[in-house]
Amino acid sequence: MKKFNFGFFIIVLLLGWLGIDKLIKRNWRMCLIKFGSMFIVVGVIWNIYDIICVLINKYKVNPFAV
């Protein structure tokens, strides 16, 4: 079982809207996509999804990776 990362949760909560959480995970392409999608409201939904994933310890950079 993974340990809950409170520091990363705070980063996702406060800076996730800008895609900084993806940048910390060294995925600059997803960071740019998330930042761009923020302006069309998809980014807000995406960040809520990321916050939930961090809370249940299921956060992945690429959700399609096995």
Side-chain angles (χ1 to χ4, degrees):
M1 184 174 192
K2 288 182 177 178
K3 183 180 175 187
F4 181 72
N5 190 342
F6 186 73
F8 190 65
F9 170 72
I10 295 297
I11 290 171
V12 171
L13 185 65
L14 299 177
L15 300 174
W17 308 100
L18 302 173
I20 302 300
D21 57 326
K22 303 295 183 195
L23 197 59
I24 289 174
K25 292 287 191 172
R26 296 196 170 120
N27 195 344
W28 63 270
R29 289 183 186 130
M30 290 297 283
C31 174
L32 292 176
I33 292 170
K34 189 171 183 181
F35 181 74
S37 69
M38 178 183 69
F39 297 109
I40 56 171
V41 183
V42 175
V44 174
I45 297 167
W46 192 351
N47 195 51
I48 292 169
Y49 172 77
D50 283 343
I51 290 170
I52 292 169
C53 286
V54 168
L55 284 173
I56 62 173
N57 288 328
K58 299 290 182 186
Y59 189 83
K60 293 181 183 177
V61 174
N62 185 359
F64 303 109
V66 178

